[in-house]
Amino acid sequence: MGQAETLMWGFLSCICVLWVSAATSNAAETLSLGVNWGGMSSHHMLPSTVVEMIKANGIKKVKLFESDNWTVKAFAGTDIEVMVAIPNDKLAHFGKYDHAKDWVKQNISQHMKDGGVNIKYVAVGNEPFLSAYNGSNLKTTFPALQNIQRALNEHGYGDKIKASIPQNADVYESSNDTPSEGQFRSDIKDLMHQIVKFLHDNNSPFIVNIYPFLSLYQNPNFPFELAFFDGGGKSINDKGVQYTNVFDANYDTLVWALTKAGVPNLKIVVGEIGWPTDGNKFATVGLAKKFYSGLLKKMASSKKGTPLRPGHLDVYLFSLFDEDEKSIAPGPFERHWGIFRYDGKPKFAMDLTGQGREKYLVEAKGVQYLTKQWCVFNKEQNKTDTVPDDLSYACSLGDCTALGYGSSCNHLDFYGNISYAYNMYFQMQDQDVQACDFHGTGMITTVNASTGNCLFPVQMENAGKRVELMSLTSMVLLSFFVGLVLY
């Protein structure tokens, strides 16, 4: 290595050291639970920053929604269990075995060396049989699952890494809302029976996403306390078995469906469970805290489980962060599932030991923010004729979900609503000056417009752009050092 290269690598090593955050781990105390880490956000933290935060909180398992190399390799050497994923729009591609074999080579093999990534599962699709998809994935999902597992087996990873399909709870149903009547949905019953037998034969788990919040959101007559774990409300009596919360009832409905499909002991993993904190009258920080407190206390009791499956529950919380680019077709709350805010700050006290202590999670370290400035409506312009179109534009490309009924910013006045929409667009556009024009009705201010529980955020620097800047800086410095040596 030449002098210039030595100087350059020394410089970069200094930069890397500055980015490493020391954190005290609570791993010995926390429950063996996982968390979902999605990527549908306008701005991202460095994967290394997120992994350090996960480690600092003692979280032992992570479920991803892709297999991006930059993200996955950040878990190297951590021993955190990782579930990588193949999105629904790629399932048809893996109908050919050669494609599955190539995918395993490119996305699994490179991480399997000593000190590599502890990959536990491959998620083939994500809720591909959701009723709303109208059967669009019925012909592609099972062949993809078979080929991915076969490829894992032939690469020698089959004993360690299992493929499965994260399913929405709507793949099973009950004619009278009791667990014992549970069976797989009539339109996919034969296919589901084939899939669960395949999972059984390969020692793979059934992964299911269960959301008690949605029971409350979708049904105005749903008993409120049944969505939580505290009891004291209406219960479900199923042939003498009492269910005091909808999670247990939902889970055991699946157990009955598996039993009727001939695989009564198939392992179940709860791939997603959580409670949103904004975007609906039931999506609040207080109710999220109530829900998680009950769930974690339940998990801490080794004998709890559910009536049909007492014992340990395998659970992944949903989700790690809020995601400001998620589809809001199911509801505005979709962008607010995070136990952390977009910038890695915890939203509420949450004790991962399940002991109910009033303690906050460890926040992300070293997060860099954009300039402390906001875009708001300029009242002095006395111009509102373009506001309806500007507001619609800002909300279509920004995130206005906090303005809805029952949401955190629902109390704002007319001008406050406009300012909130303008600012969200402005921040998501990296505070570009032109993103605060709005036909002359917007203005940039250094006065924080937040009020009460309504946060007008300042966006963080995007990790991708930070890396690009580092690369550019590295090239400039390398040229400088080479110039010095040649001179």
Side-chain angles (χ1 to χ4, degrees), residues 427-459:
Q427 300 296 340
M428 290 174 70
Q429 297 299 317
D430 288 322
Q431 297 186 354
D432 188 312
V433 174
Q434 293 182 341
C436 189
D437 180 44
F438 297 107
H439 296 94
T441 63
M443 72 173 188
I444 296 174
T445 178
T446 56
V447 179
N448 191 341
S450 300
T451 172
N453 293 325
C454 179
L455 172 69
F456 279 59
V458 170
Q459 189 54 266

mmCIF file of all heavy atoms in Angstrom, residues 427-459:
data_model
loop_
_atom_site.group_PDB
_atom_site.id
_atom_site.type_symbol
_atom_site.label_atom_id
_atom_site.label_comp_id
_atom_site.label_asym_id
_atom_site.label_seq_id
_atom_site.Cartn_x
_atom_site.Cartn_y
_atom_site.Cartn_z
ATOM 1 N N GLN A 427 -39.909 19.134 4.814
ATOM 2 C CA GLN A 427 -38.922 18.274 5.476
ATOM 3 C C GLN A 427 -38.622 17.024 4.649
ATOM 4 O O GLN A 427 -37.468 16.608 4.528
ATOM 5 C CB GLN A 427 -39.421 17.867 6.870
ATOM 6 C CG GLN A 427 -39.692 19.021 7.822
ATOM 7 C CD GLN A 427 -38.453 19.818 8.190
ATOM 8 O OE1 GLN A 427 -37.322 19.341 8.063
ATOM 9 N NE2 GLN A 427 -38.651 21.049 8.655
ATOM 10 N N MET A 428 -39.676 16.425 4.069
ATOM 11 C CA MET A 428 -39.461 15.214 3.276
ATOM 12 C C MET A 428 -38.705 15.501 1.987
ATOM 13 O O MET A 428 -38.135 14.601 1.375
ATOM 14 C CB MET A 428 -40.805 14.530 2.985
ATOM 15 C CG MET A 428 -41.426 13.906 4.235
ATOM 16 S SD MET A 428 -43.093 13.221 3.992
ATOM 17 C CE MET A 428 -42.728 11.780 2.963
ATOM 18 N N GLN A 429 -38.679 16.783 1.581
ATOM 19 C CA GLN A 429 -37.909 17.206 0.404
ATOM 20 C C GLN A 429 -36.552 17.779 0.810
ATOM 21 O O GLN A 429 -35.959 18.581 0.087
ATOM 22 C CB GLN A 429 -38.702 18.249 -0.386
ATOM 23 C CG GLN A 429 -40.022 17.749 -0.956
ATOM 24 C CD GLN A 429 -39.837 16.608 -1.927
ATOM 25 O OE1 GLN A 429 -38.951 16.631 -2.769
ATOM 26 N NE2 GLN A 429 -40.681 15.587 -1.808
ATOM 27 N N ASP A 430 -36.068 17.365 1.968
ATOM 28 C CA ASP A 430 -34.742 17.785 2.464
ATOM 29 C C ASP A 430 -34.629 19.295 2.627
ATOM 30 O O ASP A 430 -33.556 19.876 2.431
ATOM 31 C CB ASP A 430 -33.621 17.274 1.552
ATOM 32 C CG ASP A 430 -33.412 15.782 1.678
ATOM 33 O OD1 ASP A 430 -33.519 15.268 2.802
ATOM 34 O OD2 ASP A 430 -33.146 15.131 0.652
ATOM 35 N N GLN A 431 -35.721 19.935 2.961
ATOM 36 C CA GLN A 431 -35.751 21.379 3.202
ATOM 37 C C GLN A 431 -35.303 22.191 1.978
ATOM 38 O O GLN A 431 -34.727 23.268 2.107
ATOM 39 C CB GLN A 431 -34.895 21.758 4.419
ATOM 40 C CG GLN A 431 -35.379 21.158 5.734
ATOM 41 C CD GLN A 431 -34.597 21.663 6.932
ATOM 42 O OE1 GLN A 431 -33.611 22.378 6.793
ATOM 43 N NE2 GLN A 431 -35.038 21.286 8.123
ATOM 44 N N ASP A 432 -35.590 21.673 0.817
ATOM 45 C CA ASP A 432 -35.313 22.435 -0.401
ATOM 46 C C ASP A 432 -36.122 23.740 -0.362
ATOM 47 O O ASP A 432 -37.325 23.727 -0.083
ATOM 48 C CB ASP A 432 -35.728 21.600 -1.625
ATOM 49 C CG ASP A 432 -35.308 22.234 -2.939
ATOM 50 O OD1 ASP A 432 -35.548 23.442 -3.124
ATOM 51 O OD2 ASP A 432 -34.751 21.510 -3.788
ATOM 52 N N VAL A 433 -35.465 24.873 -0.621
ATOM 53 C CA VAL A 433 -36.121 26.177 -0.552
ATOM 54 C C VAL A 433 -37.362 26.217 -1.441
ATOM 55 O O VAL A 433 -38.405 26.780 -1.056
ATOM 56 C CB VAL A 433 -35.134 27.307 -0.946
ATOM 57 C CG1 VAL A 433 -35.865 28.653 -1.024
ATOM 58 C CG2 VAL A 433 -33.997 27.382 0.049
ATOM 59 N N GLN A 434 -37.274 25.633 -2.606
ATOM 60 C CA GLN A 434 -38.411 25.639 -3.528
ATOM 61 C C GLN A 434 -39.589 24.828 -2.993
ATOM 62 O O GLN A 434 -40.730 25.041 -3.417
ATOM 63 C CB GLN A 434 -37.980 25.103 -4.891
ATOM 64 C CG GLN A 434 -36.999 26.011 -5.620
ATOM 65 C CD GLN A 434 -36.634 25.466 -6.993
ATOM 66 O OE1 GLN A 434 -36.821 24.285 -7.283
ATOM 67 N NE2 GLN A 434 -36.122 26.337 -7.850
ATOM 68 N N ALA A 435 -39.308 23.922 -2.049
ATOM 69 C CA ALA A 435 -40.368 23.095 -1.466
ATOM 70 C C ALA A 435 -41.170 23.865 -0.424
ATOM 71 O O ALA A 435 -42.102 23.326 0.170
ATOM 72 C CB ALA A 435 -39.777 21.831 -0.845
ATOM 73 N N CYS A 436 -40.819 25.131 -0.202
ATOM 74 C CA CYS A 436 -41.595 25.973 0.718
ATOM 75 C C CYS A 436 -42.100 27.223 0.002
ATOM 76 O O CYS A 436 -42.243 28.285 0.612
ATOM 77 C CB CYS A 436 -40.749 26.358 1.936
ATOM 78 S SG CYS A 436 -41.695 27.178 3.246
ATOM 79 N N ASP A 437 -42.381 27.093 -1.266
ATOM 80 C CA ASP A 437 -42.885 28.237 -2.014
ATOM 81 C C ASP A 437 -44.409 28.283 -1.984
ATOM 82 O O ASP A 437 -45.017 29.217 -1.477
ATOM 83 C CB ASP A 437 -42.377 28.181 -3.462
ATOM 84 C CG ASP A 437 -42.885 29.360 -4.271
ATOM 85 O OD1 ASP A 437 -42.854 30.491 -3.743
ATOM 86 O OD2 ASP A 437 -43.335 29.153 -5.412
ATOM 87 N N PHE A 438 -45.036 27.259 -2.536
ATOM 88 C CA PHE A 438 -46.499 27.146 -2.550
ATOM 89 C C PHE A 438 -47.153 28.441 -3.045
ATOM 90 O O PHE A 438 -47.972 29.051 -2.352
ATOM 91 C CB PHE A 438 -47.028 26.771 -1.158
ATOM 92 C CG PHE A 438 -46.562 25.431 -0.678
ATOM 93 C CD1 PHE A 438 -45.604 25.316 0.326
ATOM 94 C CD2 PHE A 438 -47.058 24.266 -1.241
ATOM 95 C CE1 PHE A 438 -45.159 24.067 0.758
ATOM 96 C CE2 PHE A 438 -46.623 23.016 -0.813
ATOM 97 C CZ PHE A 438 -45.667 22.921 0.185
ATOM 98 N N HIS A 439 -46.733 28.834 -4.242
ATOM 99 C CA HIS A 439 -47.271 30.043 -4.881
ATOM 100 C C HIS A 439 -47.131 31.284 -3.987
ATOM 101 O O HIS A 439 -48.001 32.164 -3.954
ATOM 102 C CB HIS A 439 -48.746 29.852 -5.263
ATOM 103 C CG HIS A 439 -48.958 28.792 -6.287
ATOM 104 N ND1 HIS A 439 -49.268 27.491 -5.960
ATOM 105 C CD2 HIS A 439 -48.888 28.830 -7.653
ATOM 106 C CE1 HIS A 439 -49.412 26.771 -7.058
ATOM 107 N NE2 HIS A 439 -49.169 27.555 -8.108
ATOM 108 N N GLY A 440 -46.042 31.308 -3.253
ATOM 109 C CA GLY A 440 -45.755 32.463 -2.414
ATOM 110 C C GLY A 440 -46.430 32.468 -1.064
ATOM 111 O O GLY A 440 -46.280 33.428 -0.297
ATOM 112 N N THR A 441 -47.165 31.398 -0.731
ATOM 113 C CA THR A 441 -47.884 31.378 0.550
ATOM 114 C C THR A 441 -47.090 30.710 1.667
ATOM 115 O O THR A 441 -47.532 30.715 2.823
ATOM 116 C CB THR A 441 -49.237 30.654 0.410
ATOM 117 O OG1 THR A 441 -49.012 29.277 0.062
ATOM 118 C CG2 THR A 441 -50.092 31.321 -0.659
ATOM 119 N N GLY A 442 -45.958 30.115 1.344
ATOM 120 C CA GLY A 442 -45.140 29.476 2.361
ATOM 121 C C GLY A 442 -43.950 30.337 2.730
ATOM 122 O O GLY A 442 -43.468 31.143 1.924
ATOM 123 N N MET A 443 -43.460 30.175 3.956
ATOM 124 C CA MET A 443 -42.250 30.890 4.360
ATOM 125 C C MET A 443 -41.455 30.015 5.324
ATOM 126 O O MET A 443 -42.015 29.223 6.086
ATOM 127 C CB MET A 443 -42.575 32.232 5.000
ATOM 128 C CG MET A 443 -43.188 32.157 6.384
ATOM 129 S SD MET A 443 -43.354 33.804 7.119
ATOM 130 C CE MET A 443 -43.849 33.359 8.796
ATOM 131 N N ILE A 444 -40.144 30.158 5.281
ATOM 132 C CA ILE A 444 -39.255 29.402 6.152
ATOM 133 C C ILE A 444 -39.021 30.209 7.424
ATOM 134 O O ILE A 444 -38.751 31.406 7.383
ATOM 135 C CB ILE A 444 -37.924 29.108 5.445
ATOM 136 C CG1 ILE A 444 -38.169 28.206 4.226
ATOM 137 C CG2 ILE A 444 -36.942 28.429 6.398
ATOM 138 C CD1 ILE A 444 -36.949 27.974 3.360
ATOM 139 N N THR A 445 -39.142 29.546 8.570
ATOM 140 C CA THR A 445 -38.968 30.202 9.858
ATOM 141 C C THR A 445 -38.075 29.367 10.763
ATOM 142 O O THR A 445 -37.989 28.144 10.607
ATOM 143 C CB THR A 445 -40.322 30.432 10.556
ATOM 144 O OG1 THR A 445 -40.113 31.038 11.834
ATOM 145 C CG2 THR A 445 -41.068 29.120 10.756
ATOM 146 N N THR A 446 -37.414 30.011 11.704
ATOM 147 C CA THR A 446 -36.606 29.304 12.702
ATOM 148 C C THR A 446 -37.369 29.154 14.020
ATOM 149 O O THR A 446 -36.820 28.682 15.004
ATOM 150 C CB THR A 446 -35.289 30.048 12.959
ATOM 151 O OG1 THR A 446 -35.582 31.397 13.359
ATOM 152 C CG2 THR A 446 -34.423 30.059 11.708
ATOM 153 N N VAL A 447 -38.637 29.545 14.012
ATOM 154 C CA VAL A 447 -39.493 29.407 15.196
ATOM 155 C C VAL A 447 -40.239 28.074 15.120
ATOM 156 O O VAL A 447 -40.993 27.828 14.175
ATOM 157 C CB VAL A 447 -40.512 30.567 15.286
ATOM 158 C CG1 VAL A 447 -41.414 30.381 16.506
ATOM 159 C CG2 VAL A 447 -39.795 31.903 15.359
ATOM 160 N N ASN A 448 -40.036 27.233 16.098
ATOM 161 C CA ASN A 448 -40.666 25.914 16.124
ATOM 162 C C ASN A 448 -42.181 26.064 16.203
ATOM 163 O O ASN A 448 -42.710 26.688 17.122
ATOM 164 C CB ASN A 448 -40.147 25.113 17.316
ATOM 165 C CG ASN A 448 -40.553 23.646 17.260
ATOM 166 O OD1 ASN A 448 -41.476 23.266 16.551
ATOM 167 N ND2 ASN A 448 -39.844 22.812 18.004
ATOM 168 N N ALA A 449 -42.857 25.478 15.237
ATOM 169 C CA ALA A 449 -44.320 25.608 15.174
ATOM 170 C C ALA A 449 -45.052 24.513 15.944
ATOM 171 O O ALA A 449 -46.283 24.489 15.966
ATOM 172 C CB ALA A 449 -44.758 25.585 13.708
ATOM 173 N N SER A 450 -44.322 23.604 16.588
ATOM 174 C CA SER A 450 -44.964 22.529 17.351
ATOM 175 C C SER A 450 -45.830 23.098 18.458
ATOM 176 O O SER A 450 -45.516 24.144 19.044
ATOM 177 C CB SER A 450 -43.902 21.606 17.965
ATOM 178 O OG SER A 450 -43.094 21.018 16.972
ATOM 179 N N THR A 451 -46.924 22.390 18.745
ATOM 180 C CA THR A 451 -47.829 22.853 19.798
ATOM 181 C C THR A 451 -48.455 21.656 20.494
ATOM 182 O O THR A 451 -48.987 20.753 19.842
ATOM 183 C CB THR A 451 -48.932 23.767 19.227
ATOM 184 O OG1 THR A 451 -49.887 24.040 20.242
ATOM 185 C CG2 THR A 451 -49.636 23.142 18.041
ATOM 186 N N GLY A 452 -48.376 21.642 21.837
ATOM 187 C CA GLY A 452 -48.934 20.523 22.582
ATOM 188 C C GLY A 452 -48.313 19.202 22.163
ATOM 189 O O GLY A 452 -47.094 19.069 22.094
ATOM 190 N N ASN A 453 -49.167 18.217 21.844
ATOM 191 C CA ASN A 453 -48.682 16.912 21.385
ATOM 192 C C ASN A 453 -48.453 16.867 19.882
ATOM 193 O O ASN A 453 -48.097 15.819 19.338
ATOM 194 C CB ASN A 453 -49.681 15.817 21.770
ATOM 195 C CG ASN A 453 -49.760 15.608 23.263
ATOM 196 O OD1 ASN A 453 -48.762 15.724 23.970
ATOM 197 N ND2 ASN A 453 -50.954 15.299 23.764
ATOM 198 N N CYS A 454 -48.680 17.992 19.214
ATOM 199 C CA CYS A 454 -48.519 18.039 17.758
ATOM 200 C C CYS A 454 -47.096 18.452 17.408
ATOM 201 O O CYS A 454 -46.713 19.617 17.594
ATOM 202 C CB CYS A 454 -49.524 19.009 17.152
ATOM 203 S SG CYS A 454 -49.380 19.154 15.348
ATOM 204 N N LEU A 455 -46.331 17.501 16.918
ATOM 205 C CA LEU A 455 -44.929 17.745 16.582
ATOM 206 C C LEU A 455 -44.781 18.192 15.133
ATOM 207 O O LEU A 455 -45.218 17.499 14.217
ATOM 208 C CB LEU A 455 -44.112 16.466 16.808
ATOM 209 C CG LEU A 455 -42.663 16.495 16.330
ATOM 210 C CD1 LEU A 455 -41.832 17.441 17.197
ATOM 211 C CD2 LEU A 455 -42.060 15.082 16.347
ATOM 212 N N PHE A 456 -44.165 19.345 14.924
ATOM 213 C CA PHE A 456 -43.716 19.764 13.607
ATOM 214 C C PHE A 456 -42.256 19.323 13.510
ATOM 215 O O PHE A 456 -41.369 19.991 14.048
ATOM 216 C CB PHE A 456 -43.822 21.288 13.455
ATOM 217 C CG PHE A 456 -45.188 21.805 13.109
ATOM 218 C CD1 PHE A 456 -46.281 21.561 13.930
ATOM 219 C CD2 PHE A 456 -45.379 22.549 11.950
ATOM 220 C CE1 PHE A 456 -47.540 22.043 13.618
ATOM 221 C CE2 PHE A 456 -46.641 23.043 11.618
ATOM 222 C CZ PHE A 456 -47.731 22.785 12.462
ATOM 223 N N PRO A 457 -41.983 18.210 12.880
ATOM 224 C CA PRO A 457 -40.627 17.658 12.946
ATOM 225 C C PRO A 457 -39.617 18.400 12.086
ATOM 226 O O PRO A 457 -39.971 19.080 11.119
ATOM 227 C CB PRO A 457 -40.827 16.230 12.416
ATOM 228 C CG PRO A 457 -41.974 16.348 11.467
ATOM 229 C CD PRO A 457 -42.894 17.369 12.080
ATOM 230 N N VAL A 458 -38.357 18.255 12.470
ATOM 231 C CA VAL A 458 -37.230 18.603 11.618
ATOM 232 C C VAL A 458 -36.645 17.276 11.176
ATOM 233 O O VAL A 458 -36.307 16.427 12.013
ATOM 234 C CB VAL A 458 -36.177 19.436 12.374
ATOM 235 C CG1 VAL A 458 -34.909 19.569 11.539
ATOM 236 C CG2 VAL A 458 -36.738 20.814 12.715
ATOM 237 N N GLN A 459 -36.562 17.064 9.889
ATOM 238 C CA GLN A 459 -36.140 15.769 9.368
ATOM 239 C C GLN A 459 -34.651 15.534 9.630
ATOM 240 O O GLN A 459 -33.862 16.477 9.772
ATOM 241 C CB GLN A 459 -36.432 15.693 7.866
ATOM 242 C CG GLN A 459 -36.231 14.333 7.232
ATOM 243 C CD GLN A 459 -36.999 13.220 7.923
ATOM 244 O OE1 GLN A 459 -36.454 12.538 8.796
ATOM 245 N NE2 GLN A 459 -38.266 13.035 7.535
#
